[in-house]
Amino acid sequence: VARWAVVAGPRPGALRRVAVARRSGFETRIPVRTGHPLVAVRALDAGGRALGESTPVRPAGESGTVTAP
């Protein structure tokens, strides 16, 4: 994994990229504000190709924070 992309949207099949960040050690923080009800994280290789994607979740709380288990 070279970079992480945060994707967001109204439903699982309609998620679009809203932020990208270079991988930063074991945990990478990516601040994102979105009005969409679902977000997921997509792992990208050095060429920008998707390696995998998390299950979409609903951001919790006022800040819309999502914490991976």
Side-chain angles (χ1 to χ4, degrees), residues 6-8 27-32 34 36-41 54-69:
V6 178
V7 293
E27 292 184 357
T28 302
R29 289 181 172 263
I30 308 170
V32 174
T34 179
H36 292 294
L38 294 174
V39 296
V41 179
S54 69
T55 300
V57 297
R58 294 186 182 280
E62 193 174 302
S63 66
T65 302
V66 175
T67 303

Side-chain angles (χ1 to χ4, degrees), residues 1-27:
V1 175
R3 289 177 280 159
W4 295 102
V6 178
V7 293
R11 59 189 178 283
L15 302 179
R16 300 291 176 251
R17 195 178 289 188
V18 295
V20 177
R22 289 181 192 255
R23 184 178 68 97
S24 176
F26 182 70
E27 292 184 357

